Amino acid sequence: MNLSEFLDHVNRGKPIGGGTDLHRFMHDAAQDALRTVAALNAGYHTPEEVRALLSRLTGRTVDETVTVFPPFYCEFGKNLHLGPGVFINMGCRFQDTGGIRIGAGSLIGHGCTLTTLNHAIDPARRADMVPAPVVIGRSVWLGAAVTVVPGVTIGDGAIVGAGAVVTKDVPANTIVAGVPARVIRPTGFDAAPR
């Protein structure tokens, strides 16, 4: 099992069986991610150093316009894609094994949680995980302490109110809030291209 095979499997939405080679690969990869995250969260780093650690975490160069304020937590890293101009505030938790894509110019508020794995419903298979990506469009703003569950897409220009739990797709250029998040109104603006 290698990273390419693993990503091909999860990006097709196929389950990760508990105790399988896929499961063991995921746990081994998590150890690498946790070492990088520990380095990121250990004391002050310049913005350039933060981006270098994020590049190590994701396995690809992070654009010089990306800003992350630690602490930042991520359990896999290699299925996290950050567009240019993304800003991630302190205390965010990303479970990216199932895939997280954040579009250009999006802002992620303090303490947001993005999750991409569900466990199997059957108690006999509870260790199995089902991946589903989180996709955040361009120029999106997630307020503080937002939770986004697996399989959700948030459209370009949307705003998610603080503390919301997003359980279904959010249309572009709308404001949603609440638990579960519901559409409040349109933003009145189209997402600016970045």
Side-chain angles (χ1 to χ4, degrees):
M1 174 67 46
N2 62 39
L3 179 62
S4 178
E5 292 168 333
F6 181 83
L7 290 174
D8 181 59
H9 183 88
V10 296
N11 289 339
R12 287 186 285 139
K14 291 189 165 193
I16 302 164
T20 65
D21 287 344
L22 287 161
H23 195 248
R24 283 185 288 279
F25 180 88
M26 180 183 70
H27 276 273
D28 289 345
Q31 297 310 304
D32 289 338
L34 294 174
R35 277 190 288 279
T36 302
V37 168
L40 175 65
N41 294 330
Y44 173 77
H45 297 285
T46 66
E48 295 78 19
E49 291 168 333
V50 169
R51 282 190 296 277
L53 286 163
L54 289 171
S55 295
R56 185 168 97 193
L57 177 69
T58 62
R60 66 189 66 78
T61 301
V62 172
D63 192 87
E64 66 182 14
T65 61
V66 169
T67 302
V68 174
F69 285 177
F72 173 75
Y73 304 96
C74 184
E75 103 303 358
F76 187 72
K78 300 300 189 264
N79 214 358
L80 174 60
H81 304 269
L82 304 173
V86 165
F87 174 79
I88 300 170
N89 219 324
M90 294 186 295
C92 290
R93 296 168 302 275
F94 289 6
Q95 181 197 49
D96 73 295
T97 302
I100 295 174
R101 291 191 174 275
I102 303 177
S106 288
L107 310 175
I108 311 300
H110 287 87
C112 287
T113 301
L114 309 181
T115 64
T116 65
L117 294 175
N118 278 318
H119 285 279
I121 295 171
D122 178 356
R125 301 298 312 172
R126 194 61 46 89
D128 294 357
M129 288 167 275
V130 181
V134 166
V135 178
I136 297 175
R138 295 176 297 111
S139 301
V140 170
W141 174 20
L142 302 186
V146 166
T147 297
V148 181
V149 302
V152 166
T153 295
I154 299 175
D156 294 347
I159 298 171
V160 181
V165 176
V166 186
T167 60
K168 57 185 176 181
D169 291 353
V170 175
N173 304 310
T174 59
I175 299 172
V176 300
V179 180
R182 290 183 173 81
V183 173
I184 304 300
R185 65 179 176 84
T187 63
F189 299 93
D190 286 332
R194 289 200 173 225

